[in-house]
Amino acid sequence: MRSDHMHERDPTRNPTIYDVARRAGVSPATVSRVLNGNYPVSARTRRRVEAALAETGYSPNQIARSLSTRSTRVLGVLGTDLTNPYFVEVMAHIQRFAGARGLQLMLQNAISVSDEANSLRMLLDRRVDGIIMIARNDEADDTSPIVEAAKRVPLVLIGYPSVGQPVMSVRAREEDGMFELVRQLVTLGHRRFLFLGGRTGSFPTDVKLEGLRRALAKVPDATVKHLPCGYRYDAACEVLSREIQQGGIEGVTAIVAVSDVVAFAALDVLDDHQIKVPDDVSVTGFDNIFWTRSIRPRLSTVDPNKDQLAAIAVDLVSQMITGSSGPGSALVEARCVLRDSHSSPRNSVQDGQVQ
């Protein structure tokens, strides 16, 4: 007859998967299935195994597992500006969906153009199972590092079209979202537009500009001026403030920003020049980050469905890792979120003063 002390944890040695199996009354293979999550296990059996794991203090040797399975269960995530809440929110969604699959994240922030290639190389050196890129550096034109990385591990771009096989892509229908937002402004009577931010020739800028121009295509008296300033708050403040001082927004009734962060800069600069939003000028953003609901006036914007982008990106990478599907791409809907920062045009701006 087996005595109780045989079930006690021996402090002189590390518990093994066989100890867990004996404690739970299951096979070692079943314990492995619970740990890896790669085969269905009944809820009752899973609870028994999880209890045995806690009682024995068993912790799988991740290094040994990665050597034997050639898998680290780690995804590399590459952002470009973690001071921008958009990237932080997308990353949080990625972490949630990856965690549900038992995957961990390794984060890199590619601030400069050279950082993109270096960060990809570093993630590959760390033997990640796949890579998710949250957009790209706005000035990075060379796509070869991305294509080469995708030949080694599954790689998906968020917010960009595929740059070539075997790179995967998931992005929102940003052009349609911008089209609908500007159409709402046109319906209210706006005709003089300033598109603020981004860089001519970059995909995130050009696709939004295309949506804006498409919405104005059948409005003969409408005009749009593009004022490039990148995507950062400080740069947008500097450029817009100078433009106002030089009379560059004379007659403008709507400022359409490339992102919510740039829209926040516009709100602050306009307030500094005593130009009221939306009474004097309407302002809209793009991304629907959390703070758009908290500032006053609450920002009208476009929601690119960040949680859905993250879910699909994780799903695409996971399917490629397990070999259950080949490279693919996906589009998700973008929707307008109309709040308080836009209204019918009532006045026009003349040399920084409201007339």
Side-chain angles (χ1 to χ4, degrees), residues 11-137:
T12 65
R13 70 179 181 87
N14 292 323
T16 69
I17 196 170
Y18 297 99
D19 297 324
V20 178
R22 282 194 293 270
R23 177 63 63 93
V26 299
S27 69
T30 299
V31 176
S32 178
R33 289 169 182 167
V34 171
L35 288 169
N36 294 322
N38 53 355
Y39 286 97
V41 177
S42 70
R44 181 179 179 184
T45 300
R46 179 178 294 278
R47 287 194 295 269
R48 285 164 52 193
V49 171
E50 290 173 346
L53 287 167
E55 291 167 4
T56 60
Y58 174 76
S59 178
N61 188 324
Q62 295 293 341
I63 296 177
R65 178 186 290 180
S66 67
L67 290 174
S68 63
T69 64
R70 297 176 182 265
S71 172
T72 59
R73 306 292 294 171
V74 175
L75 290 182
V77 179
L78 181 57
T80 59
D81 182 8
L82 292 184
T83 65
N84 187 327
Y86 167 80
F87 294 100
V88 177
E89 291 180 16
V90 173
M91 186 187 68
H93 289 305
I94 291 173
Q95 185 175 32
R96 176 162 58 93
F97 293 116
R101 295 173 178 267
L103 299 169
Q104 296 180 325
L105 302 185
M106 181 177 292
L107 178 65
Q108 284 291 296
N109 191 28
I111 299 174
S112 67
V113 175
S114 60
D115 283 345
E116 185 170 281
N118 292 336
S119 295
L120 285 170
R121 189 178 306 110
M122 191 282 293
L123 291 172
L124 292 172
D125 289 344
R126 297 298 189 276
R127 300 175 61 85
V128 296
D129 288 347
I131 296 174
I132 297 176
M133 292 183 66
I134 308 174
R136 302 187 62 205
N137 186 284

Side-chain angles (χ1 to χ4, degrees), residues 37 88 116 118 122 150 159 244 252 260 275 293 301 321 326 348 355:
V88 177
E116 185 170 281
N118 292 336
M122 191 282 293
I244 291 175
V252 168
D260 290 338
I275 300 172
R293 293 166 284 176
T301 185
I321 290 172
S348 63
Q355 303 295 322

Side-chain angles (χ1 to χ4, degrees), residues 185 188 190 251-255 267 270-271 274-283 296-298 339-349 353-355:
L185 295 172
L188 291 173
H190 289 276
V252 168
T253 63
I255 296 177
L267 292 175
L270 291 168
D271 184 65
Q274 299 181 337
I275 300 172
K276 296 180 181 179
V277 177
D279 293 348
D280 306 323
V281 178
S282 290
V283 175
R296 293 296 181 271
R298 297 181 308 157
R339 297 193 179 102
D340 307 325
S341 65
H342 77 289
S343 66
S344 301
R346 303 170 197 174
N347 302 299
S348 63
V349 178
Q353 299 297 319
V354 178
Q355 303 295 322

